[in-house]
């Protein structure tokens, strides 16, 4: 009887342990199923693989959403305080042309070339290779950069801007990396549904070779090679050290310069760069000058006579001419104020010193224009570098220190 009771007890224990094991297995399976289900709570949007931003602003948004025990210290040392400020998120390379007033002249040919180039790069043309880069080149002071700014403003584009000084660095490879970074930044803007472009000022000054005396550095070589690579693969531009093959939106590139023959020849070939020589016509020069003198109520016939009087001058000559007209009024203000008190009024004054408008007629403009031309002729005529570099040019009867009034005698 006792043997029978022991055997039944043992068998009962075995059955109970088996039931416990079965329940544990079922509980583990339920936990696995529950953990494999997608979380639908309030933290779903910041799960790994779901949240695409995960930046400093997200950290700030999490303030007071968890217990103070897990939030860390308060004040600047808290874990939910953003290290970066909101201004750090603004692009330092993005240009805004909202400060440019209306009324300035845009050359129809210039506007046509820029508009077609940008539009072609955003279109899907059948079996046509569109050049990515538009190279606008021409003489100094002809208003290439300002015409680009006016065209960008009319198109509603805030481009990512680079200058020639950023194409060289003390660190090898830094300018090439910067070009890729700026290109990706413009591409991200396009990805958000807003048109953008990469604008490079004075490309030949930063990446060109100005004769045999200019040193050709590794950065010059890599800038040319990077632009060539981007022009060949505009939708696959990777940052250094990143080898993720992802397709990004195409970004049209516009660059200005004075002489593109100084650039690497394979870069400026027709398949990569579309070249446009900007040489403003008489009508273009008159239109730009009308914009320069629009605040001074100068008549169109006077502007035409002024342009015809100085046909060989660049467009920025007329801007410098307008600024030169104010010299007499400023000289009179300095005489009345005193040179000793001038600094306190200009720098520490409560109100900014301003001048009334000067009456500008044709005779006054031509007079100051001739004075500017005379200074240009002096630079071309008195070339002291030739005298100094060829030998010892000492003071004497024929030296460079002799006043011109004596040399005329």
């Amino acid at each position: 009887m006792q043997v029978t009771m022991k055997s039944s007890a043992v068998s009962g224990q075995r059955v109970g342990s088996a039931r416990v094991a079965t329940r544990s297995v079922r509980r583990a399976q339920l936990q696995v199923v529950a953990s494999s289900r997608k979380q639908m709570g309030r933290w779903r949007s910041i799960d790994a693989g779901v949240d695409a931003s995960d930046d400093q602003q997200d950290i700030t948004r999490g303030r007071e959403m968890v217990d103070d025990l897990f939030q860390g210290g308060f004040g600047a040392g808290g874990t939910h305080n953003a290290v970066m400020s909101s201004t750090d998120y603004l692009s330092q390379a993005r240009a805004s042309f909202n400060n440019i007033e209306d009324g300035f002249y845009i050359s129809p040919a210039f506007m046509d070339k820029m508009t077609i180039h940008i539009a072609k790069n955003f279109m899907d043309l059948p079996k046509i290779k569109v050049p990515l880069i538009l190279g606008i080149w021409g003489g100094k002071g002809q208003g290439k950069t300002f015409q680009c700014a006016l065209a960008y403003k009319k198109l509603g584009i805030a481009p990512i801007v680079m200058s020639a000084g950023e194409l060289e660095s003390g660190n090898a490879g830094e300018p090439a990396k910067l070009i890729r970074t700026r290109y990706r930044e413009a591409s991200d803007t396009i990805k958000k549904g807003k048109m953008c472009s990469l604008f490079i000022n004075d490309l030949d000054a930063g990446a060109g070779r100005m004769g045999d005396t200019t040193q050709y550095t590794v950065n010059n070589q890599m800038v040319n090679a990077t632009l060539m690579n981007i022009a060949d693969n505009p939708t696959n531009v990777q940052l250094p050290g990143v080898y993720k093959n992802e397709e990004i939106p195409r970004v049209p590139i516009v660059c200005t310069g004075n002489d593109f023959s100084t650039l690497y020849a394979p870069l400026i070939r027709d398949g990569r760069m579309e070249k446009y020589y900007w040489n403003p016509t008489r009508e273009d020069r008159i239109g730009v000058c009308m914009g320069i003198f629009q605040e001074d109520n100068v008549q169109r016939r006077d502007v035409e006579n002024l342009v015809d009087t100085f046909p060989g001058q660049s467009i920025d000559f007329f801007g410098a001419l307008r600024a030169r007209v104010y010299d007499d009024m400023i000289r009179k203000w300095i005489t009345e104020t005193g040179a000793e008190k001038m600094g306190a009024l200009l720098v520490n004054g409560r109100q900014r010193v301003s001048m009334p408008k000067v009456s500008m007629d044709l005779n006054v403009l031509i007079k100051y224009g001739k004075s500017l031309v005379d200074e240009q002729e002096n630079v071309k005529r008195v070339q002291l570098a030739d005298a100094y570099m060829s030998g010892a040019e000492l003071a004497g009867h024929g030296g460079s220190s002799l006043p011109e009034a004596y040399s005329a005698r």
Side-chain angles (χ1 to χ4, degrees):
M1 185 66 179
Q2 293 179 354
V3 175
T4 304
M5 292 177 63
K6 289 181 180 180
S7 61
S8 60
V10 171
S11 61
Q13 292 177 355
R14 291 177 180 176
V15 172
S17 59
R19 290 177 179 175
V20 172
T22 304
R23 292 173 183 173
S24 301
V25 172
R26 289 179 179 177
R27 191 179 297 111
Q29 291 176 351
L30 290 175
Q31 290 177 353
V32 171
V33 172
S35 62
S36 63
R37 292 176 182 173
K38 293 184 178 180
Q39 184 177 349
M40 302 302 292
R42 67 173 184 174
W43 302 108
R44 167 75 179 117
S45 60
I46 62 173
D47 281 350
V50 177
D51 183 21
S53 58
D54 194 22
D55 56 4
Q56 296 284 325
Q57 293 181 355
D58 286 339
I59 297 175
T60 307
R61 295 187 191 105
R63 176 178 294 280
E64 297 180 355
M65 295 185 66
V66 295
D67 190 84
D68 296 342
L69 178 63
F70 303 102
Q71 187 168 310
F74 295 96
T79 57
H80 283 70
N81 291 321
V83 178
M84 301 172 64
S85 63
S86 59
T87 57
D88 295 329
Y89 293 92
L90 300 178
S91 173
Q92 301 298 322
R94 185 178 301 280
S96 176
F97 303 113
N98 296 329
N99 59 334
I100 300 179
E101 300 178 357
D102 296 329
F104 289 102
Y105 174 83
I106 306 178
S107 172
F110 196 101
M111 186 69 186
D112 177 76
K113 179 60 68 173
M114 273 200 65
T115 305
I116 291 179
H117 174 76
I118 292 176
K120 283 170 63 177
N121 276 274
F122 284 100
M123 292 181 179
D124 188 10
L125 301 177
K127 296 182 179 179
I128 295 178
K129 180 176 175 57
V130 179
L132 183 72
I133 307 174
L134 172 62
I136 303 172
W137 65 285
K140 54 180 174 53
Q142 298 290 10
K144 297 180 293 296
T145 302
F146 191 64
Q147 288 287 309
C148 288
L150 294 176
Y152 275 129
K153 181 182 179 182
K154 193 166 186 178
L155 294 173
I157 298 176
I160 303 298
V161 180
M162 292 189 65
S163 63
E166 295 177 300
L167 301 181
E168 186 56 78
S169 173
N171 300 324
E174 194 67 27
K177 179 182 178 181
L178 183 61
I179 292 176
R180 292 179 178 272
T181 304
R182 297 279 171 84
Y183 186 90
R184 291 290 297 257
E185 185 177 352
S187 181
D188 291 340
T189 304
I190 297 174
K191 189 184 297 184
K192 296 176 182 177
K194 191 173 183 179
M195 189 175 288
C196 194
S197 172
L198 180 61
F199 182 48
I200 305 177
N201 264 318
D202 301 321
L203 177 62
D204 58 334
R209 299 197 67 180
M210 306 296 178
D212 297 334
T213 58
T214 304
Q215 184 179 6
Y216 194 69
T217 64
V218 175
N219 284 327
N220 296 143
Q221 182 179 357
M222 294 189 67
V223 165
N224 283 282
T226 300
L227 290 175
M228 290 167 55
N229 178 256
I230 292 177
D232 292 338
N233 303 283
T235 59
N236 184 19
V237 179
Q238 301 175 1
L239 297 175
V242 179
Y243 304 102
K244 184 179 180 181
N245 191 4
E246 61 175 344
E247 186 171 347
I248 62 175
R250 182 187 181 104
V251 178
I253 301 176
V254 178
C255 56
T256 62
N258 297 119
D259 189 1
F260 282 169
S261 65
T262 61
L263 296 174
Y264 190 49
L267 172 62
I268 63 174
R269 68 174 175 85
D270 294 330
R272 291 179 175 137
M273 177 185 293
E274 183 176 0
K275 295 163 288 294
Y276 176 57
Y277 176 57
W278 168 239
N279 186 19
T281 62
R282 180 178 179 272
E283 290 298 324
D284 293 334
R285 293 160 64 86
I286 293 174
V288 174
C289 289
M290 287 296 297
I292 293 175
F293 297 103
Q294 65 179 346
E295 298 291 336
D296 306 308
N297 298 322
V298 181
Q299 301 298 322
R300 182 177 176 86
R301 63 176 180 274
D302 293 338
V303 173
E304 292 178 356
N305 292 330
L306 184 65
V307 171
D308 294 336
T309 305
F310 305 101
Q313 298 295 330
S314 59
I315 290 178
D316 67 339
F317 169 84
F318 301 99
L321 171 59
R322 181 175 182 269
R324 191 69 175 267
V325 176
Y326 282 83
D327 285 2
D328 290 338
M329 183 176 292
I330 296 174
R331 188 180 296 109
K332 181 180 178 181
W333 176 83
I334 294 175
T335 303
E336 296 176 351
T337 304
E340 298 82 2
K341 301 178 181 179
M342 182 182 67
L345 293 176
L346 293 176
V347 179
N348 299 322
R350 293 184 178 180
Q351 295 182 353
R352 190 178 182 88
V353 178
S354 60
M355 293 290 167
K357 291 184 179 180
V358 179
S359 177
M360 296 187 185
D361 56 11
L362 182 59
N363 295 327
V364 173
L365 293 175
I366 291 178
K367 182 186 73 172
Y368 282 102
K370 289 182 178 180
S371 66
L372 289 177
V373 173
D374 292 340
E375 294 298 332
Q376 294 177 358
E377 293 298 327
N378 288 334
V379 173
K380 292 188 293 184
R381 178 176 55 85
V382 186
Q383 298 184 6
L384 297 178
D386 294 340
Y388 292 162
M389 298 300 292
S390 60
E393 184 74 17
L394 303 178
H397 292 288
S400 60
S401 300
L402 186 67
E404 293 188 359
Y406 287 93
S407 61
R409 296 177 184 175

